[in-house]
Amino acid sequence: MDIGEILYISSRLFLGALAAFLAIMLWSKTRDMAWMLMVIGTIAAYAEIVYSILGLFGITQGTVPLVGSIPLPALILSNLPTGFLIAAFLVMVIRKFHR
């Protein structure tokens, strides 16, 4: 593993952890559905970062179900944050049109 890979892994973990920490702090201060979905999306994005880095180290490889040649957990975790962000934006759009 060279310095570039270490920097890549470290920066993803650090920035993802910072975003997740700040999202959790916001979660405790808001009850707004759109913001809560954004927070959950941020936490899901961090879970995907951790899972992909564990995959780089070979920890998550094993007997996981595959969809084609893609592991099912990787497929779900990579799309989950986007799904929560879509839901958050949808809540905001619906709110704007119902006023």
Side-chain angles (χ1 to χ4, degrees):
M1 185 175 295
D2 67 356
I3 191 72
E5 288 177 313
I6 293 171
L7 184 60
Y8 172 73
I9 290 169
S10 300
S11 65
R12 284 195 76 196
L13 279 174
F14 175 74
L15 293 175
L18 181 62
F21 175 75
L22 293 173
I24 290 170
M25 285 183 59
L26 176 65
W27 193 348
S28 68
K29 301 293 181 196
T30 186
R31 296 287 182 238
D32 184 39
M33 179 60 78
W35 277 108
M36 290 177 76
L37 288 167
M38 289 182 133
V39 166
I40 294 168
T42 302
I43 294 168
Y46 186 63
E48 190 275 327
I49 290 169
V50 171
Y51 182 82
S52 66
I53 289 173
L54 290 174
L56 285 174
F57 292 129
I59 295 172
T60 58
Q61 296 171 352
T63 58
V64 295
L66 298 176
V67 176
S69 62
I70 306 296
L72 184 61
L75 183 65
I76 292 171
L77 284 174
S78 64
N79 291 301
L80 197 58
T82 306
F84 280 114
L85 291 176
I86 289 169
F89 293 135
L90 188 60
V91 167
M92 288 180 195
V93 167
I94 290 170
R95 231 186 259 156
K96 290 292 180 184
F97 283 114
H98 281 164
R99 284 189 181 179

Coordinates of all heavy atoms in Angstrom, one line a residue:
M1 N 0.9 -1.2 0.0 CA 0.0 0.0 0.0 C 0.9 1.2 0.0 O 1.7 1.4 0.9 CB -0.9 0.0 1.2 CG -1.9 1.1 1.3 SD -3.1 1.0 2.7 CE -4.0 -0.5 2.3
D2 N 0.7 2.1 -1.0 CA 1.6 3.3 -1.1 C 0.9 4.5 -0.3 O -0.2 4.4 0.2 CB 1.9 3.6 -2.5 CG 0.7 4.1 -3.3 OD1 -0.5 4.1 -2.8 OD2 0.8 4.5 -4.5
I3 N 1.6 5.6 -0.3 CA 1.2 6.8 0.4 C -0.1 7.3 -0.1 O -1.0 7.9 0.6 CB 2.3 7.8 0.5 CG1 1.9 9.0 1.5 CG2 2.5 8.4 -0.9 CD1 2.0 8.5 2.9
G4 N -0.3 7.2 -1.4 CA -1.6 7.7 -2.0 C -2.8 7.0 -1.6 O -3.8 7.6 -1.3
E5 N -2.7 5.7 -1.5 CA -3.8 4.9 -1.0 C -4.1 5.1 0.5 O -5.2 5.2 0.9 CB -3.5 3.4 -1.1 CG -3.6 2.9 -2.6 CD -3.2 1.4 -2.7 OE1 -2.2 1.0 -2.1 OE2 -3.9 0.7 -3.4
I6 N -3.0 5.3 1.3 CA -3.2 5.6 2.7 C -3.9 7.0 2.9 O -4.8 7.2 3.7 CB -1.8 5.6 3.4 CG1 -1.3 4.2 3.5 CG2 -2.0 6.2 4.9 CD1 0.1 4.0 4.0
L7 N -3.4 8.0 2.1 CA -4.1 9.3 2.1 C -5.5 9.2 1.7 O -6.4 9.9 2.3 CB -3.3 10.3 1.2 CG -3.7 11.7 1.2 CD1 -3.6 12.3 2.6 CD2 -2.9 12.5 0.2
Y8 N -5.8 8.5 0.6 CA -7.2 8.3 0.1 C -8.1 7.7 1.2 O -9.2 8.2 1.5 CB -7.2 7.4 -1.1 CG -8.5 7.0 -1.6 CD1 -9.4 7.9 -2.2 CD2 -9.0 5.7 -1.4 CE1 -10.6 7.5 -2.7 CE2 -10.2 5.3 -1.9 CZ -11.0 6.2 -2.5 OH -12.3 5.8 -2.9
I9 N -7.6 6.6 1.8 CA -8.4 5.9 2.9 C -8.6 6.9 4.1 O -9.7 7.0 4.6 CB -7.7 4.6 3.3 CG1 -7.9 3.6 2.1 CG2 -8.3 4.0 4.6 CD1 -7.0 2.4 2.3
S10 N -7.5 7.5 4.5 CA -7.6 8.4 5.7 C -8.5 9.5 5.5 O -9.3 9.9 6.4 CB -6.2 8.9 6.0 OG -5.3 7.8 6.3
S11 N -8.4 10.2 4.3 CA -9.3 11.3 4.1 C -10.7 10.9 4.0 O -11.6 11.6 4.5 CB -8.8 12.0 2.8 OG -9.0 11.2 1.6
R12 N -11.0 9.8 3.3 CA -12.4 9.4 3.3 C -13.0 9.1 4.6 O -14.1 9.4 5.0 CB -12.6 8.1 2.4 CG -12.5 8.4 0.9 CD -13.0 7.3 0.0 NE -14.4 7.3 0.1 CZ -15.1 6.2 -0.3 NH1 -14.5 5.2 -0.8 NH2 -16.5 6.3 -0.3
L13 N -12.2 8.4 5.5 CA -12.7 8.1 6.8 C -12.8 9.3 7.7 O -13.8 9.5 8.4 CB -11.7 7.1 7.5 CG -11.8 5.6 7.2 CD1 -10.7 4.8 7.8 CD2 -13.2 5.1 7.6
F14 N -11.9 10.2 7.6 CA -11.9 11.4 8.4 C -13.1 12.3 8.0 O -13.9 12.8 8.9 CB -10.6 12.2 8.4 CG -10.6 13.5 9.1 CD1 -10.6 13.5 10.5 CD2 -10.7 14.7 8.4 CE1 -10.7 14.7 11.2 CE2 -10.8 15.9 9.1 CZ -10.8 15.9 10.5
L15 N -13.2 12.6 6.7 CA -14.2 13.5 6.3 C -15.6 12.9 6.4 O -16.6 13.6 6.8 CB -14.0 13.9 4.8 CG -12.7 14.8 4.6 CD1 -12.5 15.1 3.1 CD2 -12.9 16.1 5.4
G16 N -15.7 11.6 6.2 CA -17.0 10.9 6.4 C -17.4 10.9 7.8 O -18.6 11.1 8.2
A17 N -16.4 10.7 8.7 CA -16.7 10.7 10.2 C -17.1 12.1 10.6 O -18.1 12.2 11.4 CB -15.5 10.2 11.0
L18 N -16.5 13.1 10.1 CA -16.8 14.5 10.5 C -18.3 14.8 10.0 O -19.1 15.4 10.8 CB -15.8 15.5 9.9 CG -16.1 16.9 10.2 CD1 -16.0 17.2 11.7 CD2 -15.1 17.8 9.4
A19 N -18.6 14.4 8.8 CA -19.9 14.7 8.3 C -21.0 13.9 9.1 O -22.0 14.4 9.4 CB -20.0 14.3 6.8
A20 N -20.7 12.7 9.4 CA -21.6 11.9 10.2 C -21.8 12.4 11.6 O -22.9 12.5 12.1 CB -21.2 10.4 10.3
F21 N -20.7 12.9 12.2 CA -20.8 13.5 13.5 C -21.7 14.8 13.5 O -22.5 14.9 14.4 CB -19.4 13.8 14.0 CG -19.4 14.5 15.4 CD1 -19.7 13.9 16.5 CD2 -19.1 15.9 15.4 CE1 -19.7 14.5 17.7 CE2 -19.1 16.6 16.6 CZ -19.4 15.9 17.8
L22 N -21.4 15.6 12.5 CA -22.2 16.9 12.5 C -23.7 16.6 12.1 O -24.6 17.2 12.6 CB -21.6 17.8 11.4 CG -20.2 18.4 11.8 CD1 -19.6 19.1 10.6 CD2 -20.3 19.2 13.0
A23 N -23.9 15.5 11.3 CA -25.3 15.1 11.0 C -26.0 14.6 12.2 O -27.2 15.0 12.5 CB -25.3 14.1 9.9
I24 N -25.3 13.9 13.1 CA -25.9 13.4 14.3 C -26.2 14.6 15.3 O -27.2 14.6 15.9 CB -25.0 12.3 15.0 CG1 -25.1 11.0 14.1 CG2 -25.5 12.0 16.4 CD1 -24.0 10.0 14.5
M25 N -25.3 15.5 15.3 CA -25.6 16.7 16.1 C -26.8 17.5 15.6 O -27.6 17.9 16.4 CB -24.4 17.6 16.1 CG -23.2 17.1 17.0 SD -21.8 18.3 17.0 CE -22.6 19.7 17.7
L26 N -27.0 17.6 14.3 CA -28.1 18.2 13.8 C -29.4 17.4 14.0 O -30.4 18.0 14.3 CB -27.9 18.4 12.2 CG -29.1 19.0 11.5 CD1 -29.4 20.4 12.0 CD2 -28.9 19.0 10.0
W27 N -29.3 16.1 14.0 CA -30.4 15.2 14.2 C -31.0 15.5 15.6 O -32.2 15.4 15.7 CB -30.0 13.8 14.0 CG -31.1 12.8 13.9 CD1 -32.4 13.0 14.2 CD2 -30.9 11.4 13.5 NE1 -33.1 11.8 14.0 CE2 -32.2 10.8 13.6 CE3 -29.9 10.7 13.2 CZ2 -32.4 9.5 13.2 CZ3 -30.1 9.3 12.8 CH2 -31.3 8.8 12.9
S28 N -30.2 15.7 16.6 CA -30.7 15.9 17.9 C -31.4 17.2 18.1 O -32.1 17.4 19.1 CB -29.5 15.7 18.9 OG -28.6 16.8 18.8
K29 N -31.2 18.2 17.2 CA -31.7 19.5 17.3 C -32.9 19.7 16.4 O -33.6 20.8 16.5 CB -30.7 20.5 17.0 CG -29.5 20.5 17.8 CD -29.8 20.9 19.2 CE -28.5 20.8 20.1 NZ -28.8 20.8 21.5
T30 N -33.3 18.8 15.5 CA -34.3 19.0 14.5 C -35.3 17.9 14.5 O -35.0 16.8 14.8 CB -33.8 19.3 13.1 OG1 -34.9 19.6 12.3 CG2 -33.1 18.0 12.5
R31 N -36.6 18.2 14.2 CA -37.6 17.2 14.1 C -38.2 17.2 12.7 O -39.2 16.6 12.4 CB -38.7 17.4 15.1 CG -38.3 17.3 16.5 CD -38.0 15.8 16.9 NE -37.6 15.7 18.3 CZ -36.5 15.1 18.6 NH1 -35.7 14.7 17.8 NH2 -36.2 15.0 19.9
D32 N -37.5 18.0 11.8 CA -38.0 18.1 10.4 C -37.7 16.9 9.6 O -36.6 16.4 9.6 CB -37.4 19.4 9.8 CG -37.9 19.6 8.4 OD1 -39.1 19.5 8.2 OD2 -37.1 20.0 7.5
M33 N -38.7 16.3 8.9 CA -38.6 15.1 8.2 C -37.5 15.2 7.1 O -36.7 14.3 7.0 CB -39.9 14.7 7.6 CG -39.9 13.4 6.8 SD -39.3 12.0 7.7 CE -40.8 11.6 8.6
A34 N -37.5 16.3 6.4 CA -36.5 16.4 5.3 C -35.1 16.4 5.8 O -34.2 15.7 5.3 CB -36.8 17.7 4.5
W35 N -34.9 17.1 6.9 CA -33.5 17.2 7.5 C -33.1 15.8 8.1 O -32.0 15.4 8.0 CB -33.4 18.3 8.5 CG -33.1 19.6 7.9 CD1 -34.0 20.6 7.8 CD2 -31.9 20.0 7.3 NE1 -33.4 21.7 7.1 CE2 -32.1 21.3 6.8 CE3 -30.7 19.4 7.1 CZ2 -31.1 22.0 6.2 CZ3 -29.7 20.1 6.4 CH2 -29.9 21.4 6.0
M36 N -34.1 15.1 8.7 CA -33.8 13.8 9.2 C -33.4 12.8 8.2 O -32.5 12.0 8.3 CB -35.0 13.3 10.1 CG -35.2 14.1 11.3 SD -36.6 13.6 12.3 CE -36.0 12.1 13.0
L37 N -34.1 12.9 7.0 CA -33.7 12.0 5.9 C -32.3 12.3 5.3 O -31.6 11.4 5.0 CB -34.8 12.1 4.8 CG -36.1 11.5 5.1 CD1 -37.2 11.9 4.1 CD2 -36.0 10.0 5.2
M38 N -32.0 13.6 5.3 CA -30.6 14.0 4.9 C -29.6 13.5 5.9 O -28.5 13.0 5.5 CB -30.5 15.5 4.7 CG -31.3 16.1 3.6 SD -31.0 17.8 3.4 CE -30.7 17.9 1.7
V39 N -29.9 13.6 7.2 CA -29.0 13.1 8.2 C -28.8 11.5 8.0 O -27.7 11.0 8.0 CB -29.5 13.4 9.6 CG1 -28.8 12.6 10.7 CG2 -29.4 14.9 9.9
I40 N -29.9 10.8 7.8 CA -29.8 9.4 7.6 C -29.0 9.0 6.4 O -28.2 8.1 6.4 CB -31.2 8.8 7.6 CG1 -31.9 8.9 9.0 CG2 -31.2 7.3 7.2 CD1 -33.4 8.6 9.0
G41 N -29.2 9.8 5.3 CA -28.4 9.7 4.1 C -26.9 9.9 4.3 O -26.1 9.1 3.8
T42 N -26.6 10.8 5.1 CA -25.2 11.1 5.4 C -24.6 9.9 6.2 O -23.4 9.5 6.0 CB -25.0 12.4 6.2 OG1 -25.6 13.5 5.5 CG2 -23.6 12.7 6.5
I43 N -25.3 9.4 7.2 CA -24.8 8.3 8.0 C -24.7 7.0 7.1 O -23.8 6.3 7.3 CB -25.8 8.1 9.2 CG1 -25.6 9.3 10.2 CG2 -25.4 6.8 9.9 CD1 -26.7 9.3 11.2
A44 N -25.7 6.8 6.2 CA -25.6 5.7 5.3 C -24.4 5.8 4.4 O -23.7 4.8 4.0 CB -26.9 5.6 4.5
A45 N -24.1 7.1 4.0 CA -22.9 7.3 3.1 C -21.6 6.9 3.9 O -20.7 6.3 3.3 CB -22.8 8.7 2.7
Y46 N -21.6 7.2 5.2 CA -20.4 6.9 6.0 C -20.3 5.3 6.1 O -19.2 4.8 6.1 CB -20.4 7.5 7.4 CG -19.2 7.3 8.2 CD1 -18.0 7.7 7.7 CD2 -19.2 6.6 9.4 CE1 -16.8 7.5 8.4 CE2 -18.1 6.4 10.1 CZ -16.9 6.8 9.6 OH -15.7 6.6 10.3
A47 N -21.5 4.7 6.3 CA -21.5 3.2 6.4 C -20.9 2.6 5.1 O -20.2 1.6 5.1 CB -22.9 2.7 6.7
E48 N -21.3 3.2 4.0 CA -20.7 2.7 2.7 C -19.2 2.9 2.6 O -18.5 2.1 2.1 CB -21.4 3.4 1.5 CG -21.2 2.8 0.2 CD -19.9 3.4 -0.5 OE1 -19.5 4.5 -0.3 OE2 -19.2 2.6 -1.2
I49 N -18.7 4.1 3.1 CA -17.3 4.3 3.1 C -16.6 3.3 3.9 O -15.6 2.7 3.5 CB -17.0 5.8 3.7 CG1 -17.5 6.8 2.7 CG2 -15.5 5.9 4.0 CD1 -17.5 8.2 3.3
V50 N -17.1 3.0 5.1 CA -16.5 2.0 6.0 C -16.5 0.6 5.4 O -15.5 -0.1 5.4 CB -17.1 2.0 7.4 CG1 -16.7 0.8 8.2 CG2 -16.9 3.3 8.1
Y51 N -17.6 0.3 4.8 CA -17.7 -1.0 4.1 C -16.8 -1.2 3.0 O -16.1 -2.2 2.8 CB -19.2 -1.3 3.6 CG -19.4 -2.6 3.0 CD1 -19.6 -3.8 3.8 CD2 -19.3 -2.8 1.6 CE1 -19.7 -5.0 3.3 CE2 -19.5 -4.1 1.1 CZ -19.7 -5.2 1.9 OH -19.9 -6.4 1.4
S52 N -16.6 -0.1 2.1 CA -15.7 -0.2 1.0 C -14.3 -0.3 1.4 O -13.5 -1.0 0.8 CB -16.0 0.9 0.0 OG -15.6 2.2 0.6
I53 N -13.9 0.4 2.5 CA -12.6 0.4 3.0 C -12.3 -1.0 3.6 O -11.2 -1.5 3.4 CB -12.3 1.5 4.0 CG1 -12.3 2.9 3.2 CG2 -11.0 1.3 4.7 CD1 -12.2 4.1 4.0
L54 N -13.2 -1.5 4.3 CA -13.0 -2.9 4.8 C -12.9 -3.9 3.7 O -12.1 -4.9 3.8 CB -14.2 -3.3 5.7 CG -14.3 -2.6 7.1 CD1 -15.6 -3.0 7.8 CD2 -13.1 -2.9 7.9
G55 N -13.5 -3.6 2.6 CA -13.4 -4.5 1.4 C -12.0 -4.3 0.8 O -11.4 -5.3 0.3
L56 N -11.4 -3.1 0.8 CA -10.0 -2.9 0.4 C -9.0 -3.8 1.2 O -8.0 -4.3 0.6 CB -9.6 -1.5 0.4 CG -10.2 -0.5 -0.6 CD1 -9.8 0.9 -0.3 CD2 -9.7 -0.9 -2.0
F57 N -9.3 -3.9 2.5 CA -8.5 -4.7 3.3 C -8.8 -6.2 3.3 O -8.2 -7.0 3.9 CB -8.5 -4.2 4.8 CG -7.9 -2.9 5.0 CD1 -8.6 -1.9 5.6 CD2 -6.6 -2.6 4.5 CE1 -8.0 -0.6 5.8 CE2 -6.0 -1.4 4.7 CZ -6.8 -0.4 5.3
G58 N -9.9 -6.6 2.6 CA -10.2 -8.0 2.4 C -11.1 -8.5 3.6 O -11.2 -9.7 3.7
I59 N -11.6 -7.7 4.4 CA -12.3 -8.1 5.6 C -13.7 -8.5 5.3 O -14.3 -9.4 5.8 CB -12.3 -7.0 6.7 CG1 -10.8 -6.8 7.2 CG2 -13.2 -7.4 7.9 CD1 -10.6 -5.7 8.1
T60 N -14.4 -7.8 4.4 CA -15.8 -8.1 4.1 C -15.9 -9.1 2.9 O -17.1 -9.3 2.5 CB -16.5 -6.8 3.7 OG1 -15.8 -6.1 2.6 CG2 -16.5 -5.8 4.9
Q61 N -14.9 -9.6 2.4 CA -15.0 -10.6 1.3 C -15.3 -11.9 2.0 O -14.8 -12.3 3.0 CB -13.7 -10.6 0.5 CG -13.5 -9.3 -0.2 CD -12.1 -9.3 -0.9 OE1 -11.3 -10.2 -0.7 NE2 -11.8 -8.3 -1.6
G62 N -16.1 -12.7 1.3 CA -16.4 -14.0 1.9 C -17.7 -14.5 1.2 O -17.9 -14.3 0.0
T63 N -18.5 -15.1 1.9 CA -19.8 -15.7 1.4 C -20.9 -14.7 1.5 O -21.8 -14.8 2.3 CB -20.1 -17.0 2.1 OG1 -20.3 -16.7 3.5 CG2 -19.0 -18.1 1.9
V64 N -20.9 -13.7 0.6 CA -22.0 -12.7 0.6 C -22.8 -13.0 -0.7 O -22.2 -13.4 -1.7 CB -21.5 -11.3 0.6 CG1 -20.8 -11.0 1.9 CG2 -20.5 -11.0 -0.5
P65 N -24.1 -12.8 -0.7 CA -24.9 -13.0 -1.9 C -24.4 -12.0 -3.0 O -24.1 -10.9 -2.7 CB -26.3 -12.8 -1.5 CG -26.2 -12.2 -0.1 CD -24.9 -12.4 0.4
L66 N -24.5 -12.5 -4.2 CA -24.0 -11.7 -5.4 C -25.2 -11.3 -6.2 O -26.2 -12.2 -6.4 CB -23.0 -12.4 -6.2 CG -21.7 -12.7 -5.5 CD1 -20.8 -13.5 -6.5 CD2 -21.0 -11.5 -5.1
V67 N -25.2 -10.2 -6.8 CA -26.2 -9.8 -7.9 C -25.3 -9.6 -9.1 O -24.6 -8.6 -9.3 CB -26.9 -8.5 -7.5 CG1 -27.8 -8.1 -8.7 CG2 -27.7 -8.6 -6.2
G68 N -25.3 -10.6 -10.0 CA -24.4 -10.6 -11.1 C -23.0 -10.9 -10.5 O -22.8 -11.9 -9.8
S69 N -22.1 -9.9 -10.6 CA -20.8 -10.1 -10.0 C -20.5 -9.1 -8.9 O -19.5 -9.0 -8.4 CB -19.7 -9.9 -11.1 OG -19.8 -8.5 -11.6
I70 N -21.6 -8.4 -8.5 CA -21.5 -7.3 -7.5 C -22.1 -7.9 -6.2 O -23.2 -8.4 -6.1 CB -22.3 -6.1 -7.9 CG1 -21.9 -5.6 -9.2 CG2 -22.2 -5.0 -6.8 CD1 -20.5 -5.1 -9.3
P71 N -21.3 -7.8 -5.0 CA -21.9 -8.2 -3.7 C -23.1 -7.4 -3.4 O -23.1 -6.2 -3.5 CB -20.7 -7.9 -2.8 CG -19.5 -7.8 -3.6 CD -20.0 -7.3 -4.9
L72 N -24.1 -8.0 -2.9 CA -25.4 -7.4 -2.5 C -25.2 -6.3 -1.5 O -25.8 -5.2 -1.7 CB -26.4 -8.4 -2.0 CG -27.8 -7.9 -1.7 CD1 -28.4 -7.3 -2.9 CD2 -28.7 -9.0 -1.1
P73 N -24.4 -6.5 -0.4 CA -24.2 -5.3 0.5 C -23.6 -4.1 -0.1 O -24.0 -3.0 0.2 CB -23.3 -5.9 1.6 CG -23.5 -7.4 1.5 CD -23.8 -7.7 0.1
A74 N -22.7 -4.3 -1.0 CA -22.1 -3.2 -1.7 C -23.1 -2.5 -2.6 O -23.1 -1.2 -2.7 CB -20.9 -3.6 -2.6
L75 N -23.9 -3.2 -3.3 CA -25.0 -2.6 -4.1 C -26.0 -1.8 -3.3 O -26.3 -0.7 -3.7 CB -25.7 -3.7 -4.9 CG -26.7 -3.3 -5.9 CD1 -26.1 -2.5 -7.0 CD2 -27.5 -4.5 -6.4
I76 N -26.4 -2.4 -2.2 CA -27.3 -1.6 -1.4 C -26.7 -0.4 -0.7 O -27.3 0.7 -0.8 CB -27.9 -2.6 -0.3 CG1 -28.8 -3.7 -0.9 CG2 -28.7 -1.8 0.8 CD1 -29.2 -4.8 0.0
L77 N -25.5 -0.6 -0.1 CA -24.9 0.5 0.6 C -24.5 1.7 -0.3 O -24.5 2.8 0.1 CB -23.7 0.0 1.4 CG -24.0 -0.7 2.7 CD1 -22.8 -1.3 3.3 CD2 -24.7 0.2 3.7
S78 N -24.1 1.4 -1.6 CA -23.7 2.4 -2.5 C -24.9 3.3 -2.9 O -24.8 4.4 -3.3 CB -23.0 1.9 -3.6 OG -23.8 1.0 -4.4
N79 N -26.1 2.7 -3.0 CA -27.3 3.4 -3.4 C -28.2 3.9 -2.3 O -29.1 4.8 -2.6 CB -28.1 2.5 -4.3 CG -27.4 2.2 -5.6 OD1 -27.1 3.2 -6.4 ND2 -27.1 1.0 -5.9
L80 N -28.0 3.5 -1.1 CA -28.9 3.9 0.0 C -28.8 5.4 0.3 O -29.8 6.0 0.5 CB -28.5 3.0 1.3 CG -29.5 3.0 2.4 CD1 -30.8 2.5 2.0 CD2 -28.9 2.2 3.5
P81 N -27.6 6.0 0.4 CA -27.5 7.4 0.7 C -28.3 8.2 -0.4 O -29.0 9.2 0.0 CB -26.1 7.8 0.6 CG -25.4 6.5 0.9 CD -26.2 5.4 0.3
T82 N -28.2 7.9 -1.6 CA -28.9 8.6 -2.7 C -30.4 8.4 -2.5 O -31.2 9.4 -2.7 CB -28.4 8.1 -4.1 OG1 -27.0 8.2 -4.2 CG2 -29.1 8.9 -5.2
G83 N -30.8 7.3 -2.1 CA -32.3 7.1 -1.9 C -32.8 7.9 -0.8 O -33.9 8.5 -0.9
F84 N -32.0 8.1 0.3 CA -32.5 9.0 1.4 C -32.5 10.4 1.0 O -33.3 11.2 1.4 CB -31.6 8.7 2.6 CG -32.0 7.5 3.4 CD1 -31.2 6.5 3.5 CD2 -33.3 7.5 4.1 CE1 -31.5 5.3 4.3 CE2 -33.6 6.3 4.8 CZ -32.8 5.3 4.9
L85 N -31.5 10.8 0.2 CA -31.4 12.2 -0.3 C -32.6 12.5 -1.3 O -33.2 13.6 -1.2 CB -30.1 12.5 -1.0 CG -28.9 12.6 0.0 CD1 -27.6 12.8 -0.8 CD2 -29.1 13.6 1.0
I86 N -32.9 11.5 -2.1 CA -34.1 11.7 -3.0 C -35.4 11.9 -2.2 O -36.2 12.7 -2.4 CB -34.2 10.5 -3.9 CG1 -33.1 10.5 -5.0 CG2 -35.6 10.4 -4.6 CD1 -33.0 9.2 -5.8
A87 N -35.5 11.0 -1.1 CA -36.7 11.1 -0.3 C -36.7 12.5 0.4 O -37.8 13.1 0.6 CB -36.7 10.0 0.8
A88 N -35.6 13.0 0.9 CA -35.5 14.3 1.6 C -35.9 15.4 0.6 O -36.7 16.3 0.9 CB -34.1 14.6 2.1
F89 N -35.4 15.4 -0.6 CA -35.8 16.4 -1.6 C -37.2 16.3 -2.0 O -37.9 17.3 -2.2 CB -34.9 16.3 -2.8 CG -33.4 16.7 -2.5 CD1 -32.4 15.9 -3.0 CD2 -33.1 17.8 -1.7 CE1 -31.1 16.2 -2.7 CE2 -31.8 18.1 -1.4 CZ -30.8 17.3 -1.9
L90 N -37.7 15.1 -2.1 CA -39.1 14.9 -2.4 C -40.0 15.5 -1.3 O -41.0 16.2 -1.6 CB -39.4 13.4 -2.6 CG -40.8 13.1 -3.1 CD1 -41.0 13.7 -4.5 CD2 -40.9 11.5 -3.2
V91 N -39.7 15.3 -0.1 CA -40.4 15.9 1.0 C -40.4 17.4 0.9 O -41.5 18.1 1.1 CB -39.9 15.5 2.4 CG1 -40.4 16.3 3.5 CG2 -40.2 14.0 2.7
M92 N -39.3 18.0 0.6 CA -39.2 19.5 0.4 C -40.0 20.0 -0.7 O -40.7 21.0 -0.6 CB -37.7 19.9 0.2 CG -36.9 19.8 1.4 SD -35.2 20.3 1.0 CE -34.3 19.7 2.4
V93 N -40.0 19.3 -1.9 CA -40.8 19.6 -3.0 C -42.3 19.6 -2.7 O -43.0 20.5 -3.1 CB -40.4 18.8 -4.3 CG1 -41.4 18.9 -5.4 CG2 -39.0 19.1 -4.7
I94 N -42.7 18.5 -2.1 CA -44.1 18.3 -1.8 C -44.6 19.4 -0.8 O -45.6 20.0 -1.0 CB -44.4 16.9 -1.1 CG1 -44.2 15.9 -2.2 CG2 -45.7 16.9 -0.5 CD1 -44.2 14.5 -1.7
R95 N -43.7 19.8 0.1 CA -44.0 20.9 1.0 C -44.2 22.2 0.3 O -45.1 23.0 0.6 CB -42.9 21.0 2.1 CG -43.4 21.0 3.5 CD -42.2 21.3 4.4 NE -41.8 20.1 5.0 CZ -40.6 19.9 5.5 NH1 -39.7 20.8 5.4 NH2 -40.3 18.7 6.0
K96 N -43.3 22.5 -0.7 CA -43.4 23.8 -1.4 C -44.7 23.8 -2.2 O -45.2 24.9 -2.4 CB -42.2 23.9 -2.3 CG -40.9 24.2 -1.6 CD -40.9 25.5 -0.9 CE -39.6 25.8 -0.2 NZ -39.7 27.0 0.6
F97 N -45.1 22.7 -2.8 CA -46.3 22.7 -3.7 C -47.6 22.7 -2.9 O -48.6 23.0 -3.5 CB -46.2 21.6 -4.7 CG -45.3 21.8 -5.8 CD1 -44.2 21.1 -6.0 CD2 -45.5 22.9 -6.7 CE1 -43.3 21.3 -7.0 CE2 -44.7 23.1 -7.8 CZ -43.5 22.4 -7.9
H98 N -47.6 22.3 -1.6 CA -48.8 22.3 -0.8 C -49.0 23.5 0.0 O -49.9 23.5 0.9 CB -48.8 21.0 0.0 CG -49.2 19.8 -0.7 ND1 -48.9 18.6 -0.2 CD2 -49.7 19.6 -1.9 CE1 -49.3 17.7 -1.1 NE2 -49.8 18.3 -2.1
R99 N -48.2 24.5 -0.2 CA -48.4 25.8 0.5 C -49.3 26.7 -0.2 O -49.5 26.9 -1.3 CB -47.1 26.4 0.8 CG -46.4 25.7 2.0 CD -45.2 26.5 2.4 NE -44.5 25.7 3.4 CZ -43.4 26.1 4.0 NH1 -42.9 27.2 3.6 NH2 -42.9 25.4 4.9

